[in-house]
Structure formats: structure tokens, C-alpha cells
Amino acid sequence: MTTTRSRALRLLAAPLVVGALVFGAVAPAQADGRGPGPGQGGPATAEPVVTTMLSGKVAALTFDDGPNPETAPRLLEVLAAHEAKAVFCLIGDYVKQHPDVVRQIVAAGHTLCNHSMHHTRGIGGWSAERLHADMEETSAAIREAVGGAPVPYYRVPYGFWGLSAQVAAELGMQPLGATFTIFDWETQDVDVLAERLETQLRANPGGIALLHDGAAAGAASTDRRGTVEALAQVLPELRAEGWQFHKPARRG
């Protein structure tokens, strides 16, 4: 990147799959993930995916905590301008508040991910029954907003999976981890975030980037415009170099 940046890069040393439990292959059961989803790799398993399972100049962009009407129009514009597709991990409460934004995301050709109904802290410690009900409620909200759009992925809030990975797989949704994050809930400084994003993408070909286009209820700010503009800085150079932005794998 040619932009001068004033802050040090903070790197994430390990994938964000803390507490992930591996149960082996689980046959998909119900309709949320619709069996083998549109991503490569086959049906859902209970091991969170942390890669695209592709090599070279490939990455997956994932955005948590939307839909957010403050950032979605510009984010969708940036992605379209550079022919990049992404996964949007949606909070059920926000889906009910902003169904039109969900429809815009799907109309633009992006992929949906269930990110729980309320983004509750401690959800990884819930029982299987409670997790199942929460996932079903969230997917029902998404279906109400956008009809038959598939929801092939599930990402647990705060990164601690507990039993949620197994429950998601049983519902046909692949648990979605990440290779790295850029800590965009800590700062919205565009230059800092652009530096982090570009450095991590180059260091992790085939990886999954965890970004935020919204914020959980109670956050100090829902403003994620810095994340969007950081992406707008990074994408032109990477696309000119031949980078492709793919879906995450469908098998852990």
C-alpha cells in the first residue's frame, strides 16, 4: 500500500477458534444450511473452518454483527466495484429491524451466516437445546426477511464454541471460524485497519478474514465506516495482483 500509516500493526497469532470442539462429521439435518451449501468442500461438519481450503492469492472476507444500515450501502458498493464476494454474519435482532438491508446483501450475491439471535455473551456455555432454539429463531428471522436464501454458515459470538459447533452442523450450517481479525472493534482508524488487513491477507493466503460491519447491542458505537474505507484502500491493489475473494470451506 502507498498510504502513510501512523500506528503499529497488531497481529493475531492464532485463529479465532478458541474453545472449538471437534466431533467429526455430522450429517446435516434441517433446512437452515440446506445440506451441502454453496461453498466448496461438502456437507457441514462440527469442526469450525478457518480457511477457504484453497491456495494462492485467495481469501474469504467475513463481516460480523450486521445488518447495519449505516455501513451496508457503502460496503456493498466497495465489494461490487472490485468484484469481491463476502459472507455476512447476521444478528437476528438486527435482521428483524433491517430486513431491507438483508435483501440488499442477498441481491448483491453475497452469502449469509447465522450469528445468533441476540449476540449474547456466554452463549458457548449454553445447552444444546437452548442453542438449537436460538439458531432456529435466527434463521427464521432471516427467512422472513429474504425468503429462500440459504444460510450455510454459523459463527458463535465471542469465539467460544462450546456445543454450538455440533448443533450448527446438525442444522446443516458449517461452523465458521477465522484465520485472523484486524481488531476493528478497538479502533476505526482507516490507515491502521488497512495496514492490518493487507498485512494479514498477504501473510495468510487462503485464509478467512474476520471484519465487522456492525456492533453488538451495548457497544460504544456501531460506526464501522473505518473498516469499510480500509477495505476500499486494500482491495484495488490486491485485485490488480490477481487476488480472488472466495467463500470459506464447507468442511472443517
Side-chain angles (χ1 to χ4, degrees):
M1 298 291 297
T2 57
T3 304
T4 300
R5 301 183 178 108
S6 59
R7 298 184 187 174
L9 170 66
R10 178 177 177 184
L11 298 179
L12 182 65
L16 291 182
V17 290
V18 178
L21 301 182
V22 180
F23 297 93
V26 178
Q30 297 189 29
D32 297 328
R34 306 186 181 234
Q40 71 279 14
T45 70
E47 181 177 354
V49 295
V50 294
T51 177
T52 61
M53 291 189 179
L54 300 171
S55 59
K57 295 179 178 180
V58 178
L61 301 172
T62 67
F63 294 92
D64 280 13
D65 299 351
N68 183 357
E70 297 176 9
T71 57
R74 173 61 175 156
L75 177 54
L76 293 175
E77 175 185 278
V78 169
L79 292 169
H82 302 291
E83 299 181 331
K85 297 302 182 184
V87 177
F88 286 79
C89 300
L90 307 180
I91 297 172
D93 284 334
Y94 296 167
V95 169
K96 287 190 169 184
Q97 294 169 23
H98 309 294
D100 55 321
V101 179
V102 183
R103 289 191 285 272
Q104 291 168 26
I105 291 168
V106 172
H110 301 291
T111 301
L112 303 182
C113 170
N114 181 319
H115 196 39
S116 82
M117 193 65 200
H118 312 294
H119 203 280
T120 307
R121 192 175 294 275
I123 192 172
W126 288 5
S127 69
E129 292 77 14
R130 189 177 179 189
L131 286 162
H132 186 285
D134 184 86
M135 292 180 199
E136 288 279 37
E137 184 181 7
T138 308
S139 289
I142 294 171
R143 285 195 301 269
E144 183 176 352
V146 75
V151 186
Y153 298 102
Y154 173 81
R155 177 175 277 161
V156 70
Y158 302 107
F160 178 70
W161 289 93
L163 296 176
S164 65
Q166 172 134 6
V167 174
E170 290 171 351
L171 290 171
M173 295 182 290
Q174 180 63 49
L176 178 59
T179 313
F180 67 88
T181 184
I182 61 171
F183 299 96
D184 53 352
W185 61 90
E186 295 180 348
T187 179
Q188 280 291 289
D189 185 298
V190 175
D191 289 342
V192 170
L193 294 177
E195 182 73 40
R196 292 175 179 176
L197 180 58
E198 181 183 0
T199 301
Q200 288 282 26
L201 285 170
R202 293 188 185 282
N204 296 282
I208 300 172
L210 193 164
L211 313 172
H212 291 82
D213 65 325
S221 173
T222 60
D223 184 2
R224 294 292 182 261
R225 288 174 293 179
T227 300
V228 176
E229 296 310 318
L231 186 69
Q233 284 191 19
V234 170
L235 281 182
E237 185 172 324
L238 293 181
R239 290 290 286 128
E241 294 175 8
W243 279 77
Q244 300 290 327
F245 294 92
H246 205 283
K247 292 169 185 165
R250 272 284 294 177
R251 182 183 295 278

